[in-house]
Amino acid sequence: MWISKKKWDALEKRVADLEGQVQSQPIRFSENIKAQLRGSDISSALAEELKKVVVNHLD
């Protein structure tokens, strides 16, 4: 399928705008991290959540 340069540029701008919106959102803790934070070992809970964030960011 062919798309005009004007439409392609508009699409690229829209994608970039959406990426900016997503990246500016605060990180929301999952229910898993909330449950772990209620426990006593906060450092391992944060480490697990950071792993998830890194994996999602690299995908």
Side-chain angles (χ1 to χ4, degrees), residues 5-54:
K5 177 158 177 46
K6 184 177 180 179
K7 286 186 179 182
W8 180 259
D9 290 342
L11 179 61
E12 281 185 322
K13 182 181 181 333
R14 179 71 180 136
V15 169
D17 290 344
L18 289 172
E19 286 176 340
Q21 289 176 12
V22 168
Q23 291 176 359
S24 67
Q25 291 178 351
I27 296 173
R28 297 183 186 159
F29 291 116
S30 67
E31 289 303 315
N32 185 31
I33 189 78
K34 288 177 187 175
Q36 290 180 15
L37 287 174
R38 285 191 282 271
S40 62
D41 191 8
I42 292 175
S43 61
S44 66
L46 290 174
E48 287 300 316
E49 192 63 25
L50 283 173
K51 287 179 190 175
K52 290 178 191 174
V53 170
V54 170

